[in-house]
Amino acid sequence: MDLELLKTIDLEKISTLASSKELNILLVNMLEVLLGSNERLAKELQELKDEINRLKGQQGKPIFKPNKESERKNKDTKPRNKNNKQGGKKTKLVIDKAVICKVDKATLPPDAHFKGYEEHIQQDIEIKRVNTLYKVELYYSNKENKTYRGLVPQEGKGLYGGGVKTWLNLLNRVCDTTQGRLKVLFESLGVRISTGTINNYLLEPEDWVLSEQKEILRAGISSGSYAQIDGTKSVERGLSKVTQIICGSYFTTFYTKPNKKRLSIIEALLGIVDGASELQYGYNNHTKKILEASGVSASDRQKLESVFGNKECQGIFQWVGNKASFEAYMLEQAPKIMSKKNMSVRVKESFALAYYYSQDEFPVVDFLLSDDAPEYQKLSLVLQGLCWIHDARFYKKLIPKLACHRTILSTVMDDYWGFYDLLLAYKKVTKSEQKATKESIKAEFDRIFTRKTQYFQLNECLKRTLNNKDKLLAVLENPALPLHNNAAELEARRIVRKRDISLHTWSLKGTLVRDAFLSVVQTCQKLNVSPFNYIKDRINGQLALPCLSDLIYLRNA
């Protein structure tokens, strides 16, 4: 709301009821803005006063938190059943042994007869030390001047067995146990091990786990009907980075990059890890379309065509190369474009996106669900879907002070969540019913979000939602697409939790292995595969369990 509008009011021209009403609406919205601004300033002033008092060795204004029980009662609209307990646990348990608890026959009366068994299940776990001494026989031949040694079995090689390595990875990757506490735990069991050795064993499975991570991503994108993505802060040896979480119904992968730029996200979608293969840049018809859509001027596009368009075709590209060769060639042939910072970024992204769309080495995401961050735009081949929960946050930020605005907001939000329920119902009906109701749903969207209310701040939210119509209604084109991005955000908490307990990783290798192991563990959980059994199977080299990527293909088949 622009307060300068008040200066343009001419009371002499307000001579009709309609003009008077318009003035009242304007003044009421101005009052709403001023009340909200006054509340924010008062809060900021109190925070500054509290900080001054703390610097003086005093205390700030005490904060009284609301009673959680009363707060819950105010929020809950549905009664909760206090006796609602999860049932059927006994049927889900695997019984490892059975013990018959007999009755002392001497205590039974003569007429007692057997009536069966009453079952009682106790769950327990046993973690114990198994230190094995291998006595290797030695024979020496004087004639041959040679020593003969007995063979140590495969499971006996090394200072620590597969159980130690498995539990180290399980407790650290799944349970977020720090290396220091792992040392304490193992020594309490009678296993002597240093934190350096623990760190080495946590980094040891680098090759297989990185390969597994990329195959999980490949299977998830190629066999799934959509993918979700979100990013969160990560720290490597004090340097701030960003971890991209790419997931679907049956997979989750983590890729940490130096920043959250679109080029880094393309690398993550291609399963490229730092220090391995490089992102490629390509020029073809896709590049030309993206350059135009990105706002690159016609003169710059003509220059790029003259530089790259006359090259001999390399398969589906007229030109293809890595970042270093692209930048060197551009500095030589088109230095003016490279000197324009914003324009050079758009050109780089266009070349990288064209390569991503056109290459056939790795699957491309058709439908990508994300929040409305600008770096996620243009990454999906067919359509990008936006999260309704993220969109609703703009409405939740509105805290109207005036009763008339609260009434308007309540009416709009009832329609908002009613439309959300309409989309949920659309996902559940048959394809023929979906086809019949698609246009009516679009019409209902227009009815709700094209309205103009007397609450100006709310109108800005409605306009923002309307501008994202195609992306918010992506579910009409792909009913499998979720309406929210909660799945990716929940997976992001795994990185946040790691950051809480360990602050940061100490090397690039540590970051890569952490991301790869988290990818394996979280995918195991989505596929109902035991992470412990899977990690143990891979670390011991048994390979008895099927690959997670194969299971993803089966689930999506």
Side-chain angles (χ1 to χ4, degrees), residues 381-407:
L381 191 59
V382 178
L383 184 61
Q384 177 192 7
L386 289 184
C387 172
W388 277 88
I389 304 302
H390 276 84
D391 183 74
R393 290 177 183 175
F394 293 103
Y395 296 84
K396 289 184 178 180
K397 290 179 181 178
L398 298 177
I399 307 177
K401 311 301 178 189
L402 304 180
C404 58
H405 288 168
R406 287 197 292 270
T407 302

Side-chain angles (χ1 to χ4, degrees), residues 501-513:
I501 65 169
S502 299
L503 184 59
H504 56 190
T505 53
W506 281 95
S507 65
L508 173 60
K509 183 177 180 179
T511 303
L512 297 180
V513 175

Side-chain angles (χ1 to χ4, degrees), residues 283 287-305 336-337 340 342-344 346-347 350:
Y283 187 80
T287 316
K288 300 173 187 178
K289 294 177 182 178
I290 301 170
L291 286 169
E292 184 176 1
S294 300
V296 178
S297 65
S299 59
D300 286 341
R301 296 201 308 272
Q302 290 175 1
K303 178 61 178 177
L304 292 171
E305 173 65 20
K336 289 185 178 180
I337 297 178
K340 305 173 187 177
N342 292 336
M343 194 58 62
S344 65
R346 295 181 190 179
V347 171
S350 298

Side-chain angles (χ1 to χ4, degrees), residues 238-479:
L239 297 177
S240 181
K241 294 192 172 185
V242 178
T243 299
Q244 296 295 335
I245 299 93
I246 307 167
C247 63
S249 300
Y250 300 113
F251 81 100
T252 299
T253 54
F254 300 81
Y255 284 92
T256 299
K257 297 295 175 182
N259 52 58
K260 62 177 182 180
K261 296 179 180 178
R262 189 176 288 116
L263 291 175
S264 296
I265 300 175
I266 296 173
E267 289 182 352
L269 289 171
L270 287 169
I272 298 175
V273 297
D274 293 345
S277 57
E278 293 185 74
L279 177 63
Q280 299 293 300
Y281 296 73
Y283 187 80
N284 59 9
N285 290 330
H286 272 303
T287 316
K288 300 173 187 178
K289 294 177 182 178
I290 301 170
L291 286 169
E292 184 176 1
S294 300
V296 178
S297 65
S299 59
D300 286 341
R301 296 201 308 272
Q302 290 175 1
K303 178 61 178 177
L304 292 171
E305 173 65 20
S306 66
V307 172
F308 295 98
N310 57 1
K311 294 290 181 182
E312 294 182 3
C313 292
Q314 302 182 37
I316 53 178
F317 296 101
Q318 291 174 281
W319 183 92
V320 64
N322 59 21
K323 179 181 178 181
S325 61
F326 172 77
E327 291 182 345
Y329 195 64
M330 283 289 292
L331 287 172
E332 178 185 348
Q333 300 293 329
K336 289 185 178 180
I337 297 178
M338 291 298 287
S339 64
K340 305 173 187 177
K341 185 177 180 181
N342 292 336
M343 194 58 62
S344 65
V345 171
R346 295 181 190 179
V347 171
K348 289 179 184 178
E349 290 180 349
S350 298
F351 275 67
L353 281 169
Y355 175 80
Y356 172 61
Y357 292 153
S358 305
Q359 54 82 36
D360 56 3
E361 300 170 2
F362 207 83
V364 181
V365 178
D366 290 331
F367 290 87
L368 183 67
L369 180 66
S370 68
D371 56 31
D372 59 352
E375 59 265 23
Y376 294 130
Q377 296 176 7
K378 305 176 185 176
L379 295 176
S380 53
L381 191 59
V382 178
L383 184 61
Q384 177 192 7
L386 289 184
C387 172
W388 277 88
I389 304 302
H390 276 84
D391 183 74
R393 290 177 183 175
F394 293 103
Y395 296 84
K396 289 184 178 180
K397 290 179 181 178
L398 298 177
I399 307 177
K401 311 301 178 189
L402 304 180
C404 58
H405 288 168
R406 287 197 292 270
T407 302
I408 295 173
L409 178 61
S410 177
T411 301
V412 170
M413 293 313 295
D414 286 343
D415 288 345
Y416 188 99
W417 294 118
F419 185 78
Y420 184 86
D421 291 338
L422 185 64
L423 292 179
L424 288 177
Y426 174 86
K427 289 167 61 67
K428 299 177 182 178
V429 299
T430 62
K431 289 185 177 180
S432 58
E433 291 175 309
Q434 288 174 349
K435 185 176 181 181
T437 58
K438 183 183 294 187
E439 293 304 320
S440 62
I441 291 176
K442 291 180 179 179
E444 178 67 6
F445 181 94
D446 292 337
R447 183 192 71 80
I448 295 173
F449 297 106
T450 57
R451 74 177 76 180
K452 299 292 183 182
T453 71
Q454 295 180 358
Y455 185 8
F456 292 172
Q457 290 175 310
L458 175 60
N459 290 344
E460 293 297 319
C461 293
L462 292 169
K463 183 179 178 181
R464 181 185 293 106
T465 303
L466 183 63
N467 290 338
N468 290 324
K469 176 181 177 180
D470 291 340
K471 296 179 180 180
L472 287 170
L473 295 183
V475 67
L476 299 182
E477 306 302 323
N478 182 3

